């Protein structure tokens, strides 16, 4: 028998190695980029935005552990590290319990009363038969979202002053006319109700989109079985959009301690600090008005860590109970 000569081709091991290199993540990424480079170019500004304005500033977290002033080095020999001093000062200060209590009160109240509002509005809009009327209603409820925050807060101040429209309407039911923004007990209701008014229309968009994916054959089968609109909503509509509701709830829970300072600062005054001052407005005062940069950064970092922990816990519970989660 004639013996085979030299190697007639690559060895199986070499072919496997070449195949692995072709299927590596880098090789697949390059092939995908060449195929869809237009999409990557469109994505580039978004990536650049988050890198510049979200990730790059994270290096400034270091000043929460320093006694830092403008012009002083943040790293290196010139940095003055103080460890957890600013965190301890915040936890032991008079303001800690006040701003934490107010932040949780406002955020939880907004969650309880504000979170279901877009869902209810979306369900109501979904039941409208006239498309023209539905679009008109949608336009009206969307408009407050596009009003400038400064203008919006100016309108709220006009509505709730002692001669305002809301105050006068409430006086018919026995409410004593007064500037409601000077009453500490009324700030949270004003904040929550105005948030619902300005955001319910915009917030309903995602639920309206989810409702379009519900199989219409399910409603037809339910009608044949004699189910009315209420039973169809309970047994078909809501279960079909539950994953969307859960995802939105998880994301909203992660903002428990992130009450925006813009609206608070535009509405509050010294007479209602006890109920209106929140973590974000406290950070604004300490950092920009009192120039205590390190202290305000420490408070902001505490806020972010708690929010991340809340998101992680709620996401874990959701994945365990309903198998729906962010990750």
């Amino acid at each position: 028998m004639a013996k085979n000569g030299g190697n007639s081709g690559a060895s199986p091991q070499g072919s496997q190695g070449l195949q692995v290199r072709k299927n590596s993540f880098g090789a697949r990424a390059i092939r995908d980029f060449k195929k869809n480079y237009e999409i990557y170019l469109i994505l580039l500004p978004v990536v650049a935005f988050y890198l510049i304005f979200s990730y790059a500033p994270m290096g400034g977290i270091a000043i929460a552990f320093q006694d830092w002033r403008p012009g002083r080095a943040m790293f290196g020999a010139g940095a003055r590290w103080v460890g957890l001093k600013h965190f301890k000062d915040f936890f032991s200060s008079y303001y800690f319990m006040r701003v934490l209590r107010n932040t949780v009160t406002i955020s939880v109240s907004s969650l309880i009363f504000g979170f279901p509002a877009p869902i209810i509005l979306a369900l109501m809009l979904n039941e409208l038969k006239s498309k023209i009327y539905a679009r008109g209603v949608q336009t009206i409820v969307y408009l407050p979202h596009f009003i400038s925050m400064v203008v919006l807060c100016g309108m709220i101040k006009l509505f709730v002053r002692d001669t305002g429209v809301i105050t006068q309407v409430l006086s018919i039911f026995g409410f004593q006319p007064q500037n409601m923004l000077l009453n500490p007990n009324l700030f949270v209701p004003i904040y929550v109700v105005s948030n619902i008014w300005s955001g319910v229309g915009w917030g309903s968009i995602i639920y309206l989109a989810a409702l379009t994916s519900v199989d219409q054959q399910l409603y037809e089968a339910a009608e044949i079985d004699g189910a009315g609109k209420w039973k169809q909503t309970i047994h078909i509509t809501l279960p079909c959009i539950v994953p969307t509701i859960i995802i939105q709830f998880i994301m909203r829970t992660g903002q428990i301690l992130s009450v925006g300072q813009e609206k608070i600062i535009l509405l509050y005054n010294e007479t209602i600090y006890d109920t209106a001052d929140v973590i974000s407005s406290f950070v604004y005062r300490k950092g920009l008005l009192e120039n205590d940069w390190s202290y305000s950064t420490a408070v902001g970092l505490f806020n972010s860590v708690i929010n991340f922990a809340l998101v992680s816990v709620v996401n874990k519970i959701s994945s365990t109970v309903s198998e729906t989660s962010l990750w």
Side-chain angles (χ1 to χ4, degrees), residues 13 22 56 85 88 90 127 140 165 171 184 250 297 310 317:
Q13 292 82 0
K22 287 183 177 180
K85 175 181 178 296
K88 294 177 180 178
F90 176 57
E127 294 299 324
I140 293 173
V165 175
S171 66
I250 294 172
T297 303
L310 287 172
I317 295 174

Side-chain angles (χ1 to χ4, degrees), residues 213-263:
S213 64
V214 180
D215 189 353
Q216 296 301 310
Q217 293 181 354
L218 296 175
Y219 294 111
E220 295 172 1
E223 288 180 0
I224 294 174
D225 291 339
K229 289 296 183 182
W230 176 250
K231 288 187 176 180
Q232 291 178 28
T233 300
I234 297 298
H235 298 290
I236 298 176
T237 307
L238 286 177
C240 288
I241 65 172
V242 159
T244 302
I245 294 175
I246 291 175
I247 294 298
Q248 292 296 307
F249 181 78
I250 294 172
M251 296 176 66
R252 181 63 185 83
T253 304
Q255 302 173 2
I256 287 291
L257 297 185
S258 294
V259 178
Q261 80 276 11
E262 297 92 351
K263 188 175 181 180

Side-chain angles (χ1 to χ4, degrees), residues 133-184:
Y133 180 69
R135 289 170 184 168
V137 173
Q138 285 178 292
T139 301
I140 293 173
V141 296
Y142 292 168
L143 284 177
H145 174 78
F146 299 98
I147 299 176
S148 166
M149 183 60 69
V150 175
V151 176
L152 183 70
C153 291
M155 294 171 62
I156 294 172
K157 288 181 178 180
L158 289 175
F159 292 159
V160 301
R161 65 182 182 179
D162 53 355
T163 58
V165 175
I166 295 178
T167 307
Q168 294 302 311
V169 171
L170 292 177
S171 66
I172 300 175
F173 302 96
F175 180 80
Q176 184 66 32
Q178 58 177 297
N179 188 335
M180 298 169 67
L181 282 176
L182 296 178
N183 187 335

Side-chain angles (χ1 to χ4, degrees), residues 63-64 66-70 82 85-86 89-90 282-300:
I63 69 175
Q66 301 173 0
D67 184 12
W68 186 83
R69 295 290 182 273
V82 295
K85 175 181 178 296
H86 300 301
D89 290 343
F90 176 57
F282 180 71
V283 170
Y284 165 80
R285 286 205 316 277
K286 297 297 290 186
L288 296 181
L289 300 184
E290 300 180 17
N291 298 324
D292 197 344
W293 312 98
S294 294
Y295 186 88
S296 62
T297 303
V299 177

Side-chain angles (χ1 to χ4, degrees), residues 103-115 188 192 196 252:
T103 303
V104 172
T105 299
I106 292 174
S107 195
V108 171
S109 300
S110 299
L111 184 65
I112 293 174
F113 298 102
F115 183 77
V188 175
V192 173
I196 295 174
R252 181 63 185 83

